[in-house]
Amino acid sequence: MLLEKERLEVIEYGKRMITEGLTKGTGGNISVVNKEKGLMAITPSGIDYMKIQPEDIVILDVQTGKIVDGERVPSSESDMHRIFYKYRDDIQAVVHTHSKFAAGLSCTGKKLPAVHYLLAVAGIDVPCAEYATYGTVKLAKNAFEAMKGTKAVLLSNHGMITGGATLAEAYNIAENVEFCCELYFIAKTVGEPNILSDEEMKNVVERFKDYGKRIEEHEEI
């Protein structure tokens, strides 16, 4: 089966997206690219994530968007995934969610500021892309433009999209952005959140690059 490994990975994370509350129903979509073959595996449109089988995953040509393998209709947001694979070398997987706190904040048209240091998995902050109708090239272009310099973006009146070197990374970013959106809502109910400086977030971004890969050097206490 063409891109069997990628198909199974997309199915696994699609189920997680439902069970962990990052989307509802058949909303949202997930993809992984194989850049050596110039192909991407993406979730089909309108099928329950818990019922998706490997043969339901659609394989598209990254350059043209044409179906290479699969009988199902690919996600309506396939262009929004494909644009990142065409023009960003650091993104090999994309996760698009309709998680409630990210979607809620997107309805304000405002970015998510650095309310918590964990947001550094995505960047200094998370911008909000201009609104465009779902499934359109305009939305894909808006998302791509807004996500320059970061790995996550809110989609105005819609949800969020994240990218990573692996699907595990892209999904982790989506989880943490949703968590930070929730914290932002909570903080707003009791006062004005204390926003971390760009300098501090840049520091955390650098620290995260080696997180779990080396033992920290400690200062004298």
Side-chain angles (χ1 to χ4, degrees):
M1 178 179 285
L2 187 61
L3 299 193
E4 182 176 7
K5 175 180 174 291
E6 289 85 350
R7 291 176 195 247
L8 294 174
E9 193 174 20
V10 166
I11 290 171
E12 175 191 351
Y13 279 92
K15 289 178 179 178
R16 284 187 60 181
M17 197 161 63
I18 287 290
T19 58
E20 295 171 8
L22 290 184
T23 199
K24 299 288 186 181
T26 61
N29 26 77
I30 294 177
S31 72
V32 177
V33 72
N34 184 314
K35 290 199 172 181
E36 288 185 2
K37 296 182 178 180
L39 301 175
M40 55 181 278
I42 192 166
T43 45
S45 179
I47 299 181
D48 186 327
Y49 285 99
M50 295 302 183
K51 297 179 180 179
I52 294 175
Q53 299 299 312
E55 59 268 24
D56 295 322
I57 300 298
V58 186
I59 308 301
L60 302 179
D61 181 276
V62 170
Q63 292 301 315
T64 66
K66 291 182 178 180
I67 296 175
V68 174
D69 188 43
E71 299 297 323
R72 300 292 188 179
V73 175
S75 167
S76 59
E77 303 293 4
S78 58
D79 283 336
M80 189 166 61
H81 292 242
R82 198 163 61 85
I83 195 170
F84 289 100
Y85 298 146
K86 286 186 72 172
Y87 302 115
R88 281 190 57 166
D89 294 333
D90 60 329
I91 291 180
Q92 315 282 334
V94 170
V95 172
H96 167 44
T97 78
H98 291 173
S99 49
K100 61 185 176 182
F101 289 101
L105 185 56
S106 82
C107 291
T108 70
K110 297 177 181 178
K111 72 178 183 179
L112 172 64
V115 68
H116 193 284
Y117 77 89
L118 282 175
L119 197 63
V121 296
I124 293 173
D125 56 29
V126 176
C128 187
E130 289 185 17
Y131 179 81
T133 305
Y134 84 93
T136 61
V137 171
K138 178 63 174 172
L139 178 59
K141 289 182 176 179
N142 288 356
F144 182 81
E145 187 64 28
M147 208 165 105
K148 287 181 177 178
T150 184
K151 289 186 175 181
V153 68
L154 301 178
L155 305 171
S156 184
N157 301 87
H158 189 154
M160 79 164 135
I161 188 168
T162 66
T166 64
L167 188 45
E169 182 189 11
Y171 191 85
N172 179 62
I173 292 170
E175 286 182 304
N176 279 285
V177 170
E178 175 66 5
F179 172 67
C180 290
C181 284
E182 184 176 6
L183 290 182
Y184 189 62
F185 273 81
I186 292 169
K188 278 284 194 179
T189 66
V190 295
E192 193 60 32
N194 177 45
I195 304 304
L196 298 175
S197 68
D198 286 358
E199 290 73 23
E200 172 58 14
M201 289 301 287
K202 289 176 183 176
N203 175 47
V204 179
V205 167
E206 287 301 313
R207 289 174 69 91
F208 275 179
K209 288 179 180 179
D210 292 325
Y211 187 73
K213 298 177 183 177
R214 64 177 176 83
I215 298 175
E216 294 278 353
E217 293 183 4
H218 295 283
E219 295 180 12
E220 187 66 31
I221 58 174

